[in-house]
């Protein structure tokens, strides 16, 4: 069975969808959730779903080999960033080439980069009068949201849409597409 490790910073709804998808699919399992936020909703989701979860801090990520050694021990087939908000360090990217993927709530390269996450993205998309938005699943490189694009899916924006309604449309795309693209990559 293939092994997935998920990095998440927040609520964990995408992480939960991935965990439940692979509990049914049996191709892979999420063996570990890693979070940088001791208050993250993903922690209670992981506990409820029986997936181990570890909390780490900036020192663990950027100043030590703690996470590198942990990931090397775990030997994941794929590392999935699902709402992980910190820039991924070069030493992890170099040690796991083409094995780290992220999902972004816009059609990259538009509305990507530092500070562009969650509702910030949807506010900008609406503010600029875009006619469509969507999701981008991409490999992670040393720059925010600039890795090679694996998959994009679009959703129309109507004049009635608000950042909140757009967020709902985009979440629906994420929940449907992310597990399927992960399965294809495995």
């Amino acid at each position: 069975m293939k092994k997935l490790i998920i990095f998440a910073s927040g609520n964990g709804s995408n992480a939960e969808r991935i965990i439940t998808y692979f509990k049914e699919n049996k191709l892979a399992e999420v063996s570990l959730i890693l979070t940088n936020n001791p208050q993250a909703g993903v922690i209670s989701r992981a506990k409820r779903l029986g997936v181990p979860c570890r909390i780490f801090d900036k020192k663990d990520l950027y100043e030590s080999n703690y996470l590198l050694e942990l990931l090397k021990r775990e030997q994941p087939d794929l590392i999935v960033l699902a709402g992980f908000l910190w820039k991924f360090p070069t030493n992890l990217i170099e040690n796991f080439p083409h094995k780290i993927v992220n999902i972004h709530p816009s059609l990259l390269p538009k509305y990507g980069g530092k500070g562009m996450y969650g509702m910030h993205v949807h506010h900008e998309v609406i503010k600029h009068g875009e006619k469509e938005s969507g999701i981008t699943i991409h490999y992670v490189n040393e720059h925010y949201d600039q890795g090679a694009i694996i998959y994009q899916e679009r959703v129309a924006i109507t004049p009635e849409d608000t950042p909140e309604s757009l967020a709902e449309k985009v979440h629906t795309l994420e929940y449907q597409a992310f597990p399927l693209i992960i399965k294809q990559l495995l």
Side-chain angles (χ1 to χ4, degrees):
M1 184 174 286
K2 305 269 186 184
K3 190 184 290 188
L4 300 172
I5 292 179
I6 297 177
F7 280 74
S9 296
N11 186 33
S13 57
N14 268 312
E16 179 171 349
R17 176 70 184 115
I18 293 163
I19 292 165
T20 56
Y21 178 86
F22 285 104
K23 281 186 182 231
E24 296 168 12
N25 182 276
K26 307 289 188 211
L27 170 69
E29 71 173 351
V30 177
S31 62
L32 183 62
I33 301 277
L34 294 167
T35 184
N36 60 314
N37 178 358
Q39 309 305 316
V42 74
I43 297 168
S44 60
R45 289 179 192 260
K47 185 175 183 177
R48 181 171 42 81
L49 295 165
V51 177
C53 184
R54 291 195 188 171
I55 301 166
F56 63 92
D57 60 21
K58 281 192 175 182
K59 182 181 175 193
D60 294 330
L61 186 63
Y62 298 117
E63 298 172 23
S64 77
N65 284 324
Y66 168 73
L67 285 171
L68 177 60
E69 291 167 7
L70 173 65
L71 291 171
K72 282 184 172 184
R73 273 194 313 275
E74 290 290 321
Q75 296 185 336
D77 294 284
L78 200 63
I79 298 167
V80 177
L81 310 189
F84 183 66
L85 301 183
W86 289 354
K87 188 174 181 188
F88 224 62
T90 304
N91 72 325
L92 295 182
I93 295 166
E94 288 173 350
N95 277 275
F96 296 92
H98 300 290
K99 286 193 171 190
I100 308 168
V101 297
N102 184 40
I103 191 163
H104 187 78
S106 77
L107 298 171
L108 292 175
K110 288 184 172 186
Y111 308 104
K114 186 173 176 65
M116 284 279 103
Y117 62 90
M119 290 304 293
H120 299 287
V121 173
H122 307 307
H123 280 285
E124 289 298 309
V125 168
I126 295 291
K127 182 173 99 178
H128 286 94
E130 297 287 348
K131 303 295 182 214
E132 65 180 6
S133 189
I135 62 168
T136 303
I137 299 168
H138 63 93
Y139 287 108
V140 173
N141 68 10
E142 64 277 3
H143 305 288
Y144 280 114
D145 301 323
Q146 292 183 23
I149 293 172
I150 299 164
Y151 177 83
Q152 288 186 313
E153 189 167 341
R154 291 166 161 64
V155 63
I157 300 173
T158 67
E160 298 79 29
D161 272 322
T162 63
E164 292 77 17
S165 66
L166 178 56
E168 287 182 30
K169 289 180 179 182
V170 169
H171 276 302
T172 299
L173 291 180
E174 290 175 346
Y175 300 152
Q176 292 169 352
F178 208 13
L180 296 175
I181 298 303
I182 291 167
K183 180 182 173 188
Q184 288 176 12
L185 291 172
L186 292 173

